[in-house]
Amino acid sequence: DADVTQTPRNRITKTGKRIMLECSQTKGHDRMYWYRQDPGLGLRLIYYSFDVKDINKGEISDGYSVSRQAQAKFSLSLESAIPNQTALYFCATSGGGSYYNEQFFGPGTRLTVL
Amino acid sequence: AQKVTQAQTEISVVEKEDVTLDCVYETRDTTYYLFWYKQPPSGELVFLIRRNSFDEQNEISGRYSWNFQKSTSSFNFTITASQVVDSAVYFCALDSGGGADGLTFGKGTHLIIQP
């Protein structure tokens, strides 16, 4: 079974709809991240969390919110989706110790906002 | 501020050729980490290597090798005897925030290996 899972894998929605992307991990890692990937732009950080009580904005947090329901779960919400939020979204985790910043990525969620 | 530049947007070579993907980074920190990830057409991100700023030794893993040069702020990736399966988008990334704010990614290089 995959260590980092994302649901849904693909989603098409309409402008103005609220949508939630979910991420679960079985790696036991404390740190979790949400990135978005746009063609030709690489990955950019949306939000990150170091534990259940610690949520931080990343480079492009506007229009997004997150919830860390448990150590293993980190959800990304688009309160009112807009077409320029069409992208590939990745969740990632990282653990502690000397490999704290080695990030493990989920398979991605392809979101299309019409 | 930190930045990663992958100047090569797309590279196309014929199978069995050697190919080098360039990565130039910017950071003011003395301690930092550099990464390479592979994104095949299926879309997932595959971790290839992590290198810290205090270790300038070159790394070789099979047909893959990495050349880290602090003097030129570069961390280049070479594939020897390329194969069609190497076709993918390759990302270079930087962490100089102690993991505090995730990784800073370059825009990626799309590598096409033609049979």
Side-chain angles (χ1 to χ4, degrees):
Chain A
D1 289 339
D3 295 320
V4 184
T5 58
Q6 293 183 231
T7 56
R9 293 294 312 278
N10 290 281
R11 180 71 182 268
I12 299 173
T13 192
K14 295 182 178 180
T15 297
K17 294 292 187 180
R18 183 179 188 276
I19 184 168
M20 179 181 289
L21 309 182
E22 299 185 341
C23 176
S24 295
Q25 52 112 349
T26 59
K27 300 187 75 67
H29 287 168
D30 289 326
R31 302 182 180 198
M32 298 187 74
Y33 307 81
W34 276 105
Y35 293 87
R36 70 176 272 177
Q37 181 184 4
D38 298 279
L41 291 181
L43 279 75
R44 292 179 292 166
L45 185 66
I46 306 172
Y47 270 96
Y48 60 100
S49 169
F50 283 1
D51 63 39
V52 175
K53 298 179 181 179
D54 181 70
I55 304 290
N56 302 281
K57 293 182 177 181
E59 178 188 353
I60 53 166
S61 59
D62 287 348
Y64 301 95
S65 61
V66 291
S67 172
R68 184 82 183 265
Q69 302 94 321
Q71 185 204 36
K73 295 183 182 296
F74 193 35
S75 300
L76 176 72
S77 293
L78 287 68
E79 297 301 326
S80 179
I82 56 177
N84 76 0
Q85 291 177 312
T86 294
L88 183 57
Y89 290 84
F90 286 100
C91 174
T93 74
S94 65
S98 60
Y99 288 90
Y100 65 90
N101 59 4
E102 184 173 328
Q103 298 198 2
F104 297 84
F105 286 84
T109 294
R110 190 168 297 278
L111 175 65
T112 302
V113 183
L114 301 176
Chain B
Q2 51 191 35
K3 183 179 179 181
V4 176
T5 301
Q6 294 180 255
Q8 304 150 310
T9 303
E10 184 173 288
I11 300 174
S12 181
V13 300
V14 177
E15 196 172 22
K16 298 184 182 178
E17 289 185 8
D18 299 347
V19 58
T20 295
L21 283 61
D22 297 332
C23 173
V24 174
Y25 62 92
E26 295 176 27
T27 179
R28 294 179 180 177
D29 294 303
T30 55
T31 300
Y32 52 89
Y33 291 81
L34 295 160
F35 301 79
W36 276 94
Y37 284 87
K38 174 183 180 180
Q39 186 177 44
S42 52
E44 74 273 22
L45 285 163
V46 179
F47 168 82
L48 295 178
I49 191 171
R50 183 184 89 144
R51 176 53 52 94
N52 73 54
S53 54
F54 299 108
D55 183 3
E56 290 193 70
Q57 280 191 329
N58 290 334
E59 177 95 7
I60 298 175
S61 177
R63 295 183 297 106
Y64 295 172
S65 62
W66 290 268
N67 179 258
F68 176 31
Q69 292 194 345
K70 289 179 72 172
S71 60
T72 56
S73 298
S74 64
F75 187 44
N76 296 337
F77 173 33
T78 297
I79 301 175
T80 302
S82 61
Q83 300 176 2
V84 173
V85 294
D86 295 325
S87 296
V89 179
Y90 291 86
F91 291 100
C92 181
L94 167 69
D95 171 30
S96 63
D101 48 7
L103 300 180
T104 297
F105 283 82
K107 295 183 178 181
T109 296
H110 184 198
L111 178 62
I112 301 168
I113 309 298
Q114 299 180 15

